[in-house]
Amino acid sequence: MNTRKETLSRIGDWLDDRLGLAAVGELARKKDVPQHRHSVWYYLGGMTLFLFLVQVATGILLLFYYRPSAEDAYESIQFLMAEVEFGWLVRSIHAWSANLMIFTAFLHMFSVLLLKAYRAPREITWISGVALLGLAMGFGFTGYLLPWNELAYFATRVGTNIMEAIPLIGGFAGHVLKGGEDVTGATLTRFYAIHVAVLPMISALLLGLHLYLVQKHGMSVPPGVEREQGSRPSMPFVPNFLLRDLVGWLTALAILAILAAYFPFELGEKADPFAPAPIGIKPEWYFMFMFQTLKYLPAHLLWIEGEVVGILGFLVAGLLLLILPFLDRRSARGESSRLFTWIGVALIVYVLVLTFLGYTASPTQ
Amino acid sequence: MIALRHVSCASLLLVGGLAVPVLAQQSQESCVTCHGSFSDARLGGPVRAYTEDVHAAKGFGCVACHGGDALDLGMTAMDPAKGYVGVPGREELLLVCGRCHSSAGFMRRYNPALRVDQVAEYRTSVHGELLLERGDERVATCVDCHPAHAVKPPSEPTSSVHPLNVAETCGRCHADRDYMQSYAISTDQHDKYLLSIHWEKLSVEGDLGAPTCNDCHGNHGASPPGVTWVGNVCGQCHSVMAELFNKSRHSQVFAMLGNPGCATCHGNHEIKPAGDEMLGIGEGSVCGMCHAPTDAGGMAAAEMRSLVDSLKFAHAVADSLLSKAENAGMEVSQAQFELSGATTALINARTGVHSFAVDHVREAVDEGVEVALSAQARGRSALGDLRFRRLGLAVSVGIILILIAGLVFKIRQLEPAKARQT
């Protein structure tokens, strides 16, 4: 027994000499998480990270069978789902965890926004987080086309057409992204490359930065809690908070398993570029509020096309969201910032209402 | 007498210089100036109706058919010396219309795709024979189907010869019992046709390729199909069935018995959708009209029905299994695609019935049953997989719940209740 312990200890020492594991362990032991009435929101970041890791793992498994061409893509997914052992499970979990990840990422962003966790010195943490959400949506947009089915094909056509309406760069960017004038096999291979190489690489870098900054600055305490008198309790990150995180992750895993078994992602019909577009083509739910907004805009606002105004509006809104920590000066000084709280609430209501309308209003409205 | 009428008519047209096709005219005619001012339907109606006529659209004016001088503003415009023919007689219409419509050289300038044998065909039709040989002016001629001054191409939905309107156009005479009394033919064709699968396809499904009167009887050469060549008429569309039937023994027997081929079993104007109940010797079967259950034909009919039913059953079971699996979210599209082979085999078996040969039907049925059984196996396998998935799900969720309970227990161990409250 002692010999075994000694062996393990020697291996640990050997690794510590080379990797500095003791310093990492020390860091983990020292890390505390504040405890207050809003602590529950702290778990969303970890949940999003867990779902991202599920994405990476299932994505790699899908790569073993997926063939990125207009001729083979649909058939390769069909084969994966019908013939490969647990292929259906891997694909369904990949698709469901993608949706759940974007959902938790949105929740995470809105909780940070309302709790003013973006204020100094966490401006770059916020910016990297918003950028990561944008990347997640990019993953969704590019991944949606990969099965090369009818809905994905026409939704991508609509999506890329909207993108092309961006003044100055839209036409060029759309052409580069599509690999031509229309969505074809060339678009599929480009989306594939972006989905499995470009976006993961950028995401890995940004995620590393985001996690480093979270570690460096610790968890933000909301200004309202900070202003309260008295001692503020906290819990050790390891093992107390981590164990709670694990409970959340396991719950997410159980939800994913149930969704995959009872609501497997359908493959639909293979894309036919010559077929008429099905009625009521809709984008993925996380693009719905933007899509619906564009539908409500009139053909022209003054002398500019309504669609162009809408797209420019979203670009400006995205930019303002990105630089939010620099706009909210009151929060930065630790003062109450009701204006930005209401802006955050208005944003959430807007996204919810427009998304609801997107699924309930007539396709022609 | 009839020959004399032909000669006089032709002479009049020759004198009038109308024996050669006329060219389209663009200028306003004096005929329109006067006749357009008449409120009377007989005198003014043609001018008003003509604005929508296909000939007006091509630039033809009144004189193209009626002759006369369009530039003359007086009554002398209608001088026979100027070629005026007035209202052409029933028989003269063939010459008036045929002057352009029988000339390939002329027609290609306006409508190169249009046939130029209408008048020649008309002469061979029952209508043409009655008009030209018996002088019966009650039969249809050009303007009865293509209303004078309101002629529209068949592609025009309001045209009297648009596929959806042909039955009504023919029915105006053929469904009129009083009008048709002297011809001793039935007048229920129109009503029966409206009950047929052909009219349903045409009117409900909008399939303009579905047959209407002229598709079986011919249009300009309209006549009832002969007993021995009904199959050729139906075979225009149902070619495989017609070919099998023509090679079968029934083809000759029907001809000997004076039975009108396909129409013997399927009827003529009131053609209902063909169903499997027509096969065999049970209720609703057409084989039973001639065959007894114990004769060779009756037994063959029963066997063919049994074969078709067996394939239908195998197909239905496979389809049900695959649908059940699909609705549960299983990927069975490949199996469903393969099952379409059994659907094709079922169609082939039903078509093969027209050969009246049991072996022919059996060949298609055997092929289809094999495919259907394979699809059934895949459907059962998919449903088995589904059960496995759900069992796996239950086990996985159970394990996860145990892990969660363990973690919660561990957290409680780490943080006694009192500490958690502070």
Side-chain angles (χ1 to χ4, degrees):
Chain A
M1 191 70 179
N2 280 341
T3 318
R4 199 167 151 192
K5 266 189 179 174
E6 282 167 14
T7 309
L8 284 173
S9 172
R10 275 206 302 277
I11 292 171
D13 291 343
W14 188 88
L15 285 172
D16 184 33
D17 288 344
R18 284 149 187 84
L19 299 174
L21 292 179
V24 177
E26 189 63 22
L27 202 66
R29 269 193 295 280
K30 280 185 179 172
K31 186 174 168 62
D32 280 338
V33 178
Q35 273 189 293
H36 49 80
R37 60 181 178 278
H38 300 301
S39 293
V40 67
W41 300 108
Y42 290 149
Y43 296 101
L44 285 171
M47 182 75 82
T48 310
L49 176 63
F50 168 72
L51 291 167
F52 177 75
L53 295 176
V54 171
Q55 287 293 97
V56 173
T58 51
I60 289 168
L61 291 174
L62 289 176
L63 282 179
F64 292 163
Y65 289 96
Y66 181 70
R67 295 194 297 273
S69 74
E71 293 74 29
D72 293 336
Y74 180 86
E75 284 76 8
S76 66
I77 300 282
Q78 203 174 37
F79 176 78
L80 176 92
M81 289 184 72
E83 309 292 339
V84 178
E85 289 287 331
F86 298 107
W88 61 274
L89 184 67
V90 173
R91 178 174 178 253
S92 274
I93 287 186
H94 190 75
W96 274 115
S97 66
N99 282 281
L100 287 183
M101 182 185 80
I102 292 177
F103 179 69
T104 55
F106 264 110
L107 285 185
H108 183 43
M109 186 192 72
F110 284 130
S111 67
V112 170
L113 176 66
L114 293 177
L115 296 174
K116 309 290 188 318
Y118 49 74
R119 66 194 193 285
R122 296 182 180 82
E123 297 95 326
I124 298 176
T125 319
W126 166 264
I127 290 171
S128 59
V130 172
L132 278 168
L133 176 61
L135 286 173
M137 291 168 83
F139 269 116
F141 185 63
T142 51
Y144 193 52
L145 178 69
L146 299 188
W148 200 245
N149 58 23
E150 191 184 40
L151 278 179
Y153 175 80
F154 286 105
T156 305
R157 261 171 83 168
V158 173
T160 48
N161 286 344
I162 291 172
M163 202 175 78
E164 282 180 341
I166 299 172
L168 301 176
I169 58 160
F172 174 73
H175 197 85
V176 170
L177 199 62
K178 289 195 285 191
E181 293 297 322
D182 207 347
V183 175
T184 60
T187 319
L188 180 72
T189 48
R190 281 167 196 235
F191 273 39
Y192 172 73
I194 293 167
H195 191 79
V196 305
V198 179
L199 292 178
M201 190 175 64
I202 301 171
S203 298
L205 292 172
L206 271 178
L207 188 60
L209 173 67
H210 193 75
L211 293 175
Y212 165 73
L213 292 172
V214 170
Q215 172 61 32
K216 179 175 170 53
H217 299 302
M219 303 293 199
S220 162
V221 178
V225 176
E226 252 181 0
R227 283 194 292 273
E228 288 169 6
Q229 300 297 317
S231 65
R232 201 174 303 128
S234 65
M235 73 167 78
F237 182 81
V238 179
N240 302 49
F241 188 82
L242 191 59
L243 286 174
R244 285 176 166 79
D245 250 349
L246 274 174
V247 170
W249 297 358
L250 286 172
T251 309
L253 198 60
I255 292 170
L256 277 179
I258 292 169
L259 288 172
Y262 278 96
F263 308 100
F265 250 71
E266 285 185 11
L267 187 53
E269 297 288 320
K270 185 176 179 175
D272 177 3
F274 299 108
I279 296 169
I281 279 284
K282 286 183 170 61
E284 288 279 67
W285 61 269
Y286 37 88
F287 292 116
M288 184 57 89
F289 71 97
M290 292 190 269
F291 183 69
Q292 195 64 15
T293 304
L294 295 180
K295 281 167 77 176
Y296 285 135
L297 289 173
H300 283 89
L301 281 166
L302 298 176
W303 67 95
I304 312 174
E305 273 186 48
E307 191 178 63
V308 174
V309 173
I311 291 165
L312 286 176
F314 283 122
L315 286 176
V316 170
L319 189 64
L320 291 175
L321 193 68
L322 205 63
I323 60 166
L324 184 67
F326 306 104
L327 301 175
D328 186 6
R329 302 313 304 165
R330 288 175 68 89
S331 286
R333 291 194 296 269
E335 298 166 14
S336 167
S337 173
R338 286 185 176 278
L339 174 67
F340 281 85
T341 303
W342 283 113
I343 288 174
V345 171
L347 190 62
I348 293 168
V349 171
Y350 176 78
V351 170
L352 287 177
V353 170
L354 267 293
T355 304
F356 175 77
L357 288 173
Y359 283 101
T360 53
S362 158
T364 54
Q365 285 178 359
Chain B
M1 182 62 190
I2 291 163
L4 190 65
R5 279 170 60 86
H6 275 289
V7 171
S8 63
C9 178
S11 308
L12 189 63
L13 290 165
L14 274 170
V15 170
L18 290 172
V20 290
V22 288
L23 292 175
Q25 297 160 330
Q26 298 297 334
S27 58
Q28 170 80 11
E29 295 175 300
S30 60
C31 334
V32 174
T33 310
C34 293
H35 280 267
S37 64
F38 291 125
S39 58
D40 176 65
R42 191 178 67 86
L43 293 172
V47 172
R48 289 186 283 277
Y50 194 64
T51 54
E52 291 186 12
D53 191 293
V54 66
H55 298 102
K58 298 283 184 187
F60 292 96
C62 311
V63 296
C65 298
H66 296 287
D69 184 358
L71 301 175
D72 188 339
L73 292 172
M75 292 296 283
T76 48
M78 296 186 286
D79 185 350
K82 292 181 177 178
Y84 179 71
V85 293
V87 179
R90 306 280 289 167
E91 203 177 323
E92 288 165 11
L93 280 168
L94 300 184
L95 294 168
V96 171
C97 301
R99 202 155 35 87
C100 300
H101 281 275
S102 297
S103 168
F106 181 78
M107 286 308 294
R108 79 166 66 100
R109 292 152 69 180
Y110 295 95
N111 188 350
L114 195 67
R115 290 168 57 163
V116 289
D117 58 355
Q118 297 95 333
V119 172
E121 274 205 338
Y122 179 80
R123 290 180 192 283
T124 68
S125 72
V126 172
H127 296 139
E129 284 173 5
L130 287 173
L131 175 70
L132 300 173
E133 291 172 18
R134 297 189 199 169
D136 179 358
E137 296 207 335
R138 296 175 71 243
V139 296
T141 181
C142 312
V143 294
D144 295 297
C145 301
H146 307 279
H149 310 114
V151 178
K152 292 174 183 174
S155 56
E156 178 76 37
T158 57
S159 167
S160 55
V161 288
H162 182 271
L164 279 169
N165 302 328
V166 167
E168 191 187 334
T169 300
C170 300
R172 274 208 311 271
C173 298
H174 283 274
D176 186 334
R177 193 176 297 171
D178 297 333
Y179 194 81
M180 297 301 293
Q181 201 169 22
S182 58
Y183 298 101
I185 58 173
S186 61
T187 51
D188 59 357
Q189 303 96 328
H190 178 259
D191 290 345
K192 282 185 169 178
Y193 173 72
L194 296 188
L195 299 171
S196 72
I197 180 68
H198 290 148
W199 174 245
E200 188 183 319
K201 289 276 173 196
L202 190 60
S203 62
V204 179
E205 295 181 21
D207 179 1
L208 297 182
T212 182
C213 313
N214 62 305
D215 293 296
C216 298
H217 294 281
N219 36 22
H220 301 100
S223 72
V227 165
T228 54
W229 47 274
V230 167
N232 294 341
V233 173
C234 305
Q236 292 178 106
C237 300
H238 305 282
S239 54
V240 179
M241 283 89 150
E243 193 182 337
L244 290 171
F245 176 76
N246 286 338
K247 287 179 186 168
S248 76
R249 195 193 300 172
H250 279 72
S251 162
Q252 295 157 16
V253 174
F254 279 12
M256 279 189 328
L257 295 173
N259 290 340
C262 314
T264 308
C265 300
H266 294 280
N268 48 10
H269 299 106
E270 191 183 354
I271 297 170
K272 295 287 187 189
D276 293 333
E277 70 283 353
M278 293 171 72
L279 183 62
I281 46 160
E283 194 180 339
S285 78
V286 291
C287 312
M289 293 191 302
C290 301
H291 292 285
T294 49
D295 70 28
M299 287 193 285
E303 193 175 350
M304 284 192 286
R305 172 68 183 274
S306 164
L307 284 166
V308 169
D309 283 349
S310 69
L311 175 53
K312 215 163 60 168
F313 179 71
H315 184 281
V317 171
D319 191 41
S320 164
L321 285 168
L322 292 175
S323 297
K324 201 172 165 185
E326 187 189 25
N327 291 338
M330 304 299 291
E331 170 52 44
V332 288
S333 56
Q334 187 60 32
Q336 282 172 322
F337 173 74
E338 284 169 14
L339 183 61
S340 64
T343 312
T344 307
L346 188 58
I347 293 168
N348 288 340
R350 286 167 172 159
T351 307
V353 168
H354 297 88
S355 70
F356 305 98
V358 176
D359 286 345
H360 195 108
V361 177
R362 183 179 287 118
E363 193 181 326
V365 167
D366 287 349
E367 191 184 322
V369 166
E370 190 182 337
V371 173
L373 290 177
S374 164
Q376 282 180 22
R378 295 187 71 158
R380 288 197 182 93
S381 165
L383 290 173
D385 277 354
L386 180 68
R387 282 189 291 277
F388 175 73
R389 284 182 191 188
R390 292 190 173 161
L391 182 68
L393 165 77
V395 172
S396 308
V397 171
I399 293 170
I400 291 170
L401 289 176
I402 292 168
L403 283 173
I404 289 174
L407 286 171
V408 171
F409 180 70
K410 180 71 181 170
I411 291 168
R412 282 175 183 274
Q413 260 190 337
L414 282 170
E415 305 166 14
K418 200 174 172 184
R420 281 203 310 277
Q421 281 165 9
T422 54

